[in-house]
Amino acid sequence: MGLFNKIFKKSAAKQSFDNVKNQVFEKMGYDEKYIVKNNMFRLSEDDINLMEKDEEIRLISEVLAKVKKTTFAEAFTKVSFAKEKYGLEPSIYAFNGLYRKNDEAVEAFAKKRAEKQEKAVKRIAKVTGWDLAKAQEEAKKAYEKYGILPSEYYTELYYNLTDEEIAAKKDAEAKELERCIEWVKSETGWTDYEVKRHRYYCRLAFGIVPHAYFPTRCWQMDDATLKTFARQRDSKRLRDKYNDKRYNAILANKVRFNQEFGSLTGRKFWLNRDTSYEEFLEFVDGLDELFCKPVNLSHASGTRKIKVEGDLKALYDDLISQPKTLVEECVKQHHEMNEFYSNSVNTVRIFCLLDNDKFVPFAGFVRFGAGGVADNIVAGGVGCGLNVETGTIDTPAIDRWHNLNETHPISGKKFEGFKIPNWDKVLEVAEKGLRHIEGINYVGWDIAVCEDKAVLIEGNTLPSISTYQMFYGYRHEGKRYTYKKYLTK
């Protein structure tokens, strides 16, 4: 029985209906001024019971009311309707700006999202060899038990895990979130609810995506400071302004990227589909190692290094049997980059654009592996902010646990003050890549530094400006100024 029902049954005979509501709202932490200002007496008994049961609806409604200068009652009505009518979670509804859309647009979004999940289930079936019914069953079980959508089940390779392994992974994620929340509470005195609300507020008001909230240390700053922070939605604005959307897919597709930018990637590649053994032997001739990355995954999921040795026919058969995978010649990086960590290619991310044909590299960071074969922070690597004028690291490194590291956790090599070798060549290949295809004028390039050159690893037309910003959060330094003037039409 909900809180409203309990109080109503005891008090309705003695109090007016509005007085009962007022008592319930106050028990939820709302004072009378907030209740009146936000038209909360308009909410029904069912609405109030839903508020009690679904914390996220309350959180999103409060934040929407504050950010969009509407009332809690109006925001709650929109959010709850979208969930009931279209099955959209409150955070999905809010973070995708659907509160600005009409019902037809919201319905279209929900339909497209459902189609994406259906497509993911088909991919799961194809990769695992399960029939479609089995793939649907496993994806449904993962969603109902752990809240894992089919798209995440596919991209994060959950299909390779047992139920016990999935449970352990989700438990570890929950404990990490709890650790971070406790960190904020220890500094602010806030409750769990207040920490969560501030995360949502920073997402909607300042475009700071949830995974960047803790490393950016948003709770330590006031709104005036947070307004100066680089925000992820600005990356979309830059893409929409500078890029012809017809060409964005070229960079998103790993195979097309290598085909189009082969002269700038500096390495051979091979796709494990419809390729003969003889062609494979020709490809690996003279190579010691191969780097493999599944075509349809991101954030280093499924990447691995393999030695070219032993029974090459067995190696070929294994690669052919894998999900659609790009197999590449390994990059031999500069010895100074190798000194940080040698088991991954440690890459530079350059945010750049062509403005009236002028090449503008306006931001950057560098990542280093720290235990695996990838340098992505989510894959266990570390990252530092970078002065793009000089190519010099100007922050400590942040790891996946949001710790600041003055030196590399494995090699002990110092980060701040290190100058990326061949910096002129890094900028040169970034500009060449940007000028390579007409219509693509904003990219975040991942670049590897070699002894006598720099080579493109991949390009992103929606690069994570939030990641760039988080390296400077510890010193409360906003980085929006580096590109703000390019947002205007």
Side-chain angles (χ1 to χ4, degrees):
M1 182 181 293
L3 176 63
F4 183 92
N5 288 332
K6 290 178 182 177
I7 294 176
F8 185 75
K9 286 182 181 298
K10 292 180 179 180
S11 308
K14 299 179 180 179
Q15 303 180 61
S16 71
F17 190 70
D18 281 351
N19 282 341
V20 174
K21 284 187 178 182
N22 190 70
Q23 187 177 345
V24 174
F25 290 141
E26 287 179 351
K27 284 185 177 292
M28 291 182 181
Y30 302 109
D31 60 32
E32 186 172 352
K33 183 178 178 181
Y34 187 91
I35 294 165
V36 173
K37 181 181 177 181
N38 285 276
N39 293 335
M40 295 177 75
F41 289 123
R42 287 177 42 196
L43 299 176
S44 69
E45 178 182 343
D46 288 341
D47 292 336
I48 296 168
N49 285 330
L50 181 58
M51 285 172 60
E52 181 190 4
K53 183 174 66 174
D54 192 329
E55 182 181 76
E56 189 178 63
I57 281 183
R58 281 182 64 196
L59 287 165
I60 291 294
S61 300
E62 287 181 35
V63 172
L64 275 177
K66 181 177 180 178
V67 173
K68 300 307 169 184
K69 295 181 170 54
T70 184
T71 65
F72 179 96
E74 183 179 352
F76 180 87
T77 300
K78 287 185 176 181
V79 172
S80 56
F81 176 79
K83 183 169 185 179
E84 181 180 358
K85 177 78 172 178
Y86 305 115
L88 294 172
E89 294 300 318
S91 56
I92 297 297
Y93 177 81
F95 295 165
N96 287 280
L98 298 176
Y99 48 83
R100 297 190 297 262
K101 308 292 186 180
N102 58 30
D103 287 351
E104 290 76 15
V106 176
E107 183 176 12
F109 176 91
K111 182 179 179 182
K112 185 175 181 180
R113 189 164 182 265
E115 290 170 350
K116 177 182 178 181
Q117 302 311 318
E118 290 173 4
K119 186 175 182 179
V121 171
K122 292 178 182 178
R123 284 179 169 175
I124 293 166
K126 189 172 184 179
V127 167
T128 59
W130 299 337
D131 59 34
L132 189 57
K134 170 71 171 176
Q136 289 171 335
E137 178 187 349
E138 293 299 321
K140 181 180 179 182
K141 182 170 65 175
Y143 179 70
E144 291 178 344
K145 195 167 184 179
Y146 305 108
I148 300 170
L149 288 167
S151 55
E152 182 187 2
Y153 190 83
Y154 173 73
T155 58
E156 298 299 322
L157 311 183
Y158 279 106
Y159 53 80
N160 283 332
L161 304 180
T162 64
D163 285 349
E164 291 75 16
E165 289 170 332
I166 294 176
K169 182 175 180 179
K170 299 308 288 186
D171 183 58
E173 290 174 0
K175 287 180 179 177
E176 173 60 14
L177 177 58
E178 182 180 355
R179 180 188 74 83
C180 290
I181 290 174
E182 290 299 320
W183 173 23
V184 180
K185 287 166 63 180
S186 71
E187 292 190 7
T188 61
W190 292 345
T191 64
D192 283 45
Y193 187 86
E194 289 169 326
V195 176
K196 294 173 187 176
R197 183 173 58 197
H198 194 250
R199 287 183 78 202
Y200 285 140
Y201 175 65
C202 287
R203 175 67 176 88
L204 287 173
F206 310 113
I208 298 169
V209 293
H211 75 264
Y213 177 85
F214 296 110
T216 309
R217 294 162 166 75
C218 296
W219 66 91
Q220 297 177 352
M221 287 151 273
D222 58 20
D223 285 6
T225 303
L226 290 170
K227 284 180 181 177
T228 70
F229 276 31
R231 54 193 68 183
Q232 186 56 25
R233 58 178 174 241
D234 287 342
S235 195
K236 183 178 186 302
R237 290 176 64 188
L238 290 170
R239 182 188 67 178
D240 292 346
K241 177 182 177 180
Y242 285 98
N243 291 356
D244 185 327
K245 63 182 180 181
R246 294 175 298 176
Y247 302 114
N248 286 326
I250 293 174
L251 271 69
N253 185 300
K254 292 180 176 67
V255 178
R256 289 190 66 188
F257 171 78
N258 278 274
Q259 292 170 338
E260 293 284 349
F261 292 88
S263 61
L264 300 175
T265 64
R267 60 196 182 282
K268 300 190 293 182
F269 76 96
W270 171 73
L271 193 66
N272 67 332
R273 293 293 173 91
D274 304 321
T275 306
S276 69
Y277 177 53
E278 288 71 25
E279 290 172 308
F280 172 73
L281 290 177
E282 183 179 346
F283 166 68
V284 300
D285 184 40
L287 301 182
D288 299 319
E289 285 185 315
L290 302 175
F291 188 76
C292 306
K293 51 186 178 184
V295 168
N296 294 316
L297 303 185
S298 59
H299 304 301
S301 295
T303 57
R304 58 179 176 141
K305 272 185 182 180
I306 52 177
K307 295 282 188 182
V308 180
E309 60 186 9
D311 187 345
L312 295 185
K313 182 60 167 64
L315 175 60
Y316 167 79
D317 290 340
D318 175 63
L319 289 171
I320 284 291
S321 69
Q322 298 296 319
K324 194 174 183 181
T325 300
L326 196 65
V327 185
E328 301 175 341
E329 174 185 359
C330 287
V331 173
K332 291 181 172 58
Q333 65 187 344
H334 195 283
H335 69 277
E336 290 184 41
M337 300 295 282
N338 217 46
E339 287 170 2
F340 279 99
Y341 183 73
S342 61
N343 202 36
S344 72
V345 177
N346 307 310
T347 59
V348 171
R349 166 70 60 88
I350 295 291
F351 297 79
C352 54
L353 53 85
L354 287 177
D355 185 64
N356 293 321
D357 204 45
K358 179 184 177 182
F359 174 65
V360 182
F362 63 84
F365 57 81
V366 58
R367 295 169 299 194
F368 301 93
V373 299
D375 62 352
N376 304 59
I377 295 175
V378 294
V382 296
C384 310
L386 196 61
N387 182 318
V388 290
E389 293 183 3
T390 65
T392 304
I393 294 175
D394 60 0
T395 74
I398 292 179
D399 60 28
R400 66 187 302 177
W401 298 280
H402 321 316
N403 299 309
L404 295 174
N405 298 264
E406 298 290 341
T407 59
H408 192 280
I410 294 177
S411 68
K413 190 174 176 68
K414 189 175 186 298
F415 292 116
E416 278 190 269
F418 175 79
K419 182 175 172 58
I420 304 296
N422 293 328
W423 187 246
D424 56 336
K425 292 180 171 58
V426 171
L427 296 181
E428 180 182 348
V429 77
E431 182 172 2
K432 284 183 178 179
L434 204 53
R435 295 186 183 278
H436 191 70
I437 294 182
E438 188 174 353
I440 297 292
N441 299 308
Y442 168 63
V443 176
W445 294 116
D446 288 343
I447 299 172
V449 185
C450 304
E451 293 293 345
D452 59 351
K453 62 183 178 179
V455 297
L456 298 183
I457 299 298
E458 63 182 37
N460 306 271
T461 57
L462 192 60
S464 178
I465 289 180
S466 287
T467 300
Y468 160 61
Q469 174 61 70
M470 78 183 191
F471 298 118
Y472 299 89
Y474 78 100
R475 61 190 192 209
H476 302 186
E477 181 181 342
K479 287 292 186 177
R480 196 167 189 251
Y481 74 91
T482 62
Y483 62 82
K484 185 177 179 181
K485 67 180 180 180
Y486 302 108
L487 294 172
T488 57
K489 295 292 184 182

